[in-house]
C-alpha cells in the first residue's frame, strides 16, 4: 500500500515538473516571438509623405513703386521785387489762375512808367513828322522845295511811325512783366510747397527762401492730384506682359488696408543695363485725393504664365554627393532616392523642373538613417510636425510674392 502511494507521488511530481518546464518553454517562445515582432516593427521606419503641386496658372511679382502727381509745376519768379503777400499755404486746393502771392516791384513799376512816357514822346514826334511831310509834299507843285527834301521828310515820317510802334511794343513788354507781379496757379490742383514769406526778395536768378538760402528755387509747387502716375522698375522677365490691359494692385504705408488699382499707361521700351529693368508707368484715379504724390508704393503685378513647374517643400530636399535629391516611396513601400533639377528656391518651397511627377510620394523631413531600398511605413504625423498641407499654402503665397 505504501509502495503504491510512493509511486503515485513520484508520478505526480514528474508530471508537475513536465508541466512546469513546458510552461517555461512556451512562455519563453512567446516572449521571443513578441520581442522579434517588436524588433522588426521598430526596424521599419515610419515616414510622412507629400505630393508635388503644380504652380498656379499665373505669377505675381511684388515691386517698389514711386507715386507722382499727374502734373506738377514749379513756379519761379519772373520779376525782381519783394513778396507783398502770399495767399495760399501748403495743402491749399486751388483753381486755375487763382492768386497765390503778390510781388511788390517798384523798379519794374518805374520802368513801366518810363516806357509809357517814352511812347507819348514818340507819338508826339510822329505827329510832327507826319505834319512836316504833308507840308513838303504840298509844296511839290510849286517846286518851292527840292524833290530830295520832300523824300527825306516822307521817310523821316515813316521812321518816326516805326519808333512809335517800337515804343508801343516796349510798353506791352512791361505790361506782360507787370502781370508776373501776381503769382497765379497754372491749373487746378494742390499747393505742395511754399518757399517764400512776406518781405523775401525774389527774382528769376536767385530767390532767397525762408531759410535764407540764395540758390535758385521755386516760389510755389502746384500739383494736379486728381490722377497720379505710378513709376515702377519692372524686371525684363515680365517684359512680355507690359502692355495695355495690365493692372497693378497698389498699397501705400499710410493706408495699409486700402488697395488701389493702377492701369498700364506706358513703358520705356528699353531696359536699364545696370538693373535689367524697364521704367513702367501706371495711372491711378485719385478723385478723393487720398493718395499723395511722392508716396512709396508696394506694387503687385499678376500675369498669366504656363510653366508646368511642380513645387515641393524645402524640408523634402536631400543633399548627397551626387547633388540634390528627394526620397520617394515606391509602390512596394521601399525608399528610392532620385535626383532632381531645381529652377528656384523660395522661402519655404522649391520649384522643380525635372525629376518628379504629381503622383510621386515624396518623404517629408527624411531621416539621415534612411537608405536605398529600406522598407518604410507611411503614417500621419502629429499635428504641428507635418508641413505637407501647409507648404502648399505657403508655397502658393511665396510663388505669388516673387
Amino acid at each position: 500500500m505504501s509502495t503504491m502511494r510512493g509511486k503515485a507521488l513520484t508520478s505526480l511530481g514528474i508530471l508537475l515538473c513536465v508541466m512546469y518546464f513546458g510552461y517555461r518553454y512556451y512562455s519563453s517562445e512567446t516572449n521571443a516571438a513578441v520581442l522579434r515582432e517588436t524588433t522588426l516593427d521598430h526596424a521599419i521606419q515610419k515616414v510622412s509623405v507629400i505630393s508635388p503641386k503644380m504652380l498656379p496658372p499665373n505669377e505675381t511679382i511684388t515691386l517698389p513703386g514711386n507715386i507722382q502727381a499727374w502734373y506738377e509745376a514749379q513756379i519761379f519768379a519772373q520779376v525782381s521785387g519783394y513778396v507783398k503777400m502770399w495767399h495760399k499755404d501748403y495743402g491749399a486746393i486751388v483753381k486755375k489762375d487763382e492768386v497765390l502771392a503778390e510781388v511788390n516791384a517798384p523798379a519794374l513799376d518805374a520802368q513801366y512808367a518810363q516806357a509809357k512816357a517814352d511812347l507819348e514822346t514818340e507819338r508826339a514826334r510822329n505827329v510832327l513828322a507826319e505834319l512836316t511831310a504833308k507840308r513838303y509834299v504840298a509844296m511839290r507843285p510849286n517846286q518851292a522845295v527840292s524833290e530830295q527834301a520832300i523824300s527825306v521828310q516822307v521817310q523821316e515820317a515813316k521812321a518816326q511811325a516805326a519808333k512809335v510802334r517800337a515804343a508801343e511794343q516796349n510798353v506791352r513788354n512791361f505790361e506782360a512783366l507787370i502781370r508776373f507781379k501776381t503769382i497765379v496757379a497754372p491749373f487746378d490742383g494742390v499747393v505742395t510747397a511754399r518757399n517764400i514769406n512776406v518781405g523775401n526778395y525774389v527774382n528769376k536768378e536767385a530767390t532767397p527762401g525762408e531759410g535764407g538760402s540764395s540758390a535758385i528755387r521755386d516760389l510755389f509747387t502746384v500739383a494736379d492730384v486728381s490722377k497720379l502716375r505710378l513709376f515702377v522698375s519692372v524686371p525684363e522677365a515680365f517684359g512680355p506682359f507690359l502692355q495695355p490691359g495690365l493692372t497693378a494692385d497698389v498699397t501705400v504705408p499710410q493706408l495699409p488696408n486700402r488697395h488701389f488699382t493702377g492701369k498700364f499707361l506706358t513703358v520705356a521700351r528699353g531696359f536699364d543695363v545696370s538693373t535689367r529693368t524697364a521704367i513702367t508707368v501706371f495711372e491711378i484715379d485719385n478723385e478723393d485725393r487720398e493718395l499723395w504724390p511722392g508716396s512709396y508704393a508696394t506694387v503687385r503685378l499678376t500675369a498669366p504664365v504656363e510653366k508646368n513647374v511642380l513645387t515641393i517643400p524645402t524640408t523634402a530636399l536631400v543633399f548627397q554627393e551626387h547633388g540634390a535629391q528627394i526620397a520617394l516611396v515606391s509602390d512596394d513601400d521601399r525608399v528610392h532616392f532620385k535626383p532632381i533639377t531645381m529652377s528656384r528656391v523660395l522661402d519655404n518651397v522649391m520649384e522643380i523642373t525635372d525629376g518628379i511627377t504629381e503622383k510621386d510620394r515624396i518623404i517629408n523631413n527624411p531621416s539621415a538613417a534612411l537608405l536605398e531600398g529600406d522598407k518604410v511605413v507611411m503614417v500621419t504625423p502629429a499635428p504641428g510636425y507635418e508641413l505637407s498641407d501647409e507648404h502648399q499654402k505657403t508655397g502658393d503665397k511665396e510663388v505669388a510674392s516673387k
Side-chain angles (χ1 to χ4, degrees):
M1 188 70 178
S2 61
T3 302
M4 293 178 63
R5 182 178 296 176
K7 290 181 177 180
L9 290 174
T10 302
S11 300
L12 180 60
I14 293 173
L15 179 62
L16 290 174
C17 288
V18 171
M19 292 177 64
Y20 172 74
F21 284 111
Y23 171 76
R24 290 292 304 270
Y25 177 78
Y26 173 78
S27 177
S28 62
E29 286 295 323
T30 302
N31 291 337
V34 171
L35 179 61
R36 183 166 50 254
E37 182 179 354
T38 303
T39 303
L40 291 175
D41 184 59
H42 284 1
I44 300 177
Q45 295 195 51
K46 298 178 176 63
V47 296
S48 64
V49 297
I50 56 97
S51 297
K53 295 295 182 181
M54 189 70 70
L55 279 176
N58 53 54
E59 184 172 354
T60 299
I61 186 171
T62 302
L63 299 167
N66 184 28
I67 296 176
Q68 296 295 335
W70 189 253
Y71 297 123
E72 185 174 83
Q74 295 178 317
I75 304 173
F76 292 86
Q78 295 297 314
V79 297
S80 299
Y82 297 90
V83 177
K84 180 180 179 181
M85 179 59 68
W86 54 263
H87 301 284
K88 300 296 178 181
D89 206 351
Y90 290 92
I93 298 176
V94 295
K95 296 293 184 180
K96 182 179 179 181
D97 295 329
E98 191 169 352
V99 177
L100 303 178
E102 296 175 86
V103 176
N104 190 7
L108 178 62
D109 293 339
Q111 291 174 331
Y112 179 47
Q114 181 65 51
K116 291 192 291 183
D118 291 342
L119 174 59
E120 293 301 322
T121 300
E122 296 300 333
R123 284 174 176 171
R125 289 175 178 174
N126 183 54
V127 171
L128 178 60
E130 288 180 351
L131 180 60
T132 303
K134 289 179 181 180
R135 288 176 176 175
Y136 269 71
V137 171
M139 290 185 290
R140 175 178 289 164
N142 300 326
Q143 296 183 347
V145 293
S146 67
E147 193 66 29
Q148 175 67 27
I150 296 174
S151 299
V152 170
Q153 293 301 322
V154 170
Q155 295 304 318
E156 285 185 354
K158 291 181 180 180
Q160 191 59 47
K163 291 181 180 180
V164 170
R165 290 192 296 271
E168 290 174 342
Q169 183 59 50
N170 190 41
V171 170
R172 286 193 291 268
N173 292 344
F174 278 106
E175 288 175 346
L177 289 175
I178 288 293
R179 285 195 290 270
F180 283 115
K181 291 171 55 179
T182 303
I183 311 299
V184 299
F187 45 73
D188 295 353
V190 176
V191 177
T192 59
R194 174 184 62 80
N195 298 317
I196 57 172
N197 210 341
V198 174
N200 283 150
Y201 176 74
V202 298
N203 61 52
K204 61 182 179 181
E205 295 179 355
T207 301
E210 292 188 53
S213 62
S214 60
I216 297 177
R217 61 186 306 176
D218 53 308
L219 310 183
F220 290 89
T221 300
V222 177
D224 178 4
V225 296
S226 59
K227 289 192 297 184
L228 298 171
R229 300 179 196 266
L230 171 65
F231 293 85
V232 187
S233 295
V234 181
E236 58 184 351
F238 239 68
F241 309 109
L242 300 177
Q243 53 188 331
L246 179 66
T247 60
D249 179 64
V250 184
T251 57
V252 292
Q254 63 268 30
L255 299 170
N257 298 322
R258 183 170 175 182
H259 291 255
F260 300 87
T261 300
K263 300 177 183 178
F264 177 85
L265 188 62
T266 187
V267 64
R269 296 189 179 277
F271 293 106
D272 187 329
V273 294
S274 61
T275 62
R276 302 301 178 188
T277 59
I279 298 295
T280 308
V281 186
F282 293 84
E283 173 188 340
I284 303 176
D285 289 329
N286 190 40
E287 291 296 336
D288 57 4
R289 304 179 189 273
E290 288 293 327
L291 284 176
W292 295 355
S295 297
Y296 170 86
T298 299
V299 184
R300 294 175 181 84
L301 302 177
T302 302
V305 293
E306 293 184 5
K307 290 186 175 181
N308 295 324
V309 176
L310 296 171
T311 61
I312 61 174
T314 54
T315 52
L317 189 63
V318 178
F319 286 102
Q320 294 190 356
E321 58 181 348
H322 301 296
Q325 295 182 331
I326 55 171
L328 303 178
V329 178
S330 61
D331 294 336
D332 58 353
D333 294 337
R334 293 190 179 276
V335 177
H336 172 59
F337 289 93
K338 189 175 183 181
I340 58 173
T341 302
M342 298 179 294
S343 61
R344 286 194 300 176
V345 178
L346 309 178
D347 289 345
N348 293 321
V349 297
M350 300 175 295
E351 292 183 3
I352 309 301
T353 56
D354 186 44
I356 60 174
T357 66
E358 288 186 87
K359 297 181 179 179
D360 285 339
R361 298 180 296 178
I362 301 175
I363 299 175
N364 195 22
N365 291 306
S367 170
L370 283 177
L371 300 175
E372 179 73 25
D374 281 355
K375 188 77 173 179
V376 293
V377 175
M378 293 179 291
V379 298
T380 301
Y385 176 79
E386 177 59 42
L387 299 177
S388 61
D389 293 335
E390 192 65 29
H391 104 273
Q392 301 302 337
K393 299 177 183 177
T394 305
D396 292 344
K397 292 178 181 178
E398 293 299 332
V399 169
S401 66
K402 299 296 180 181

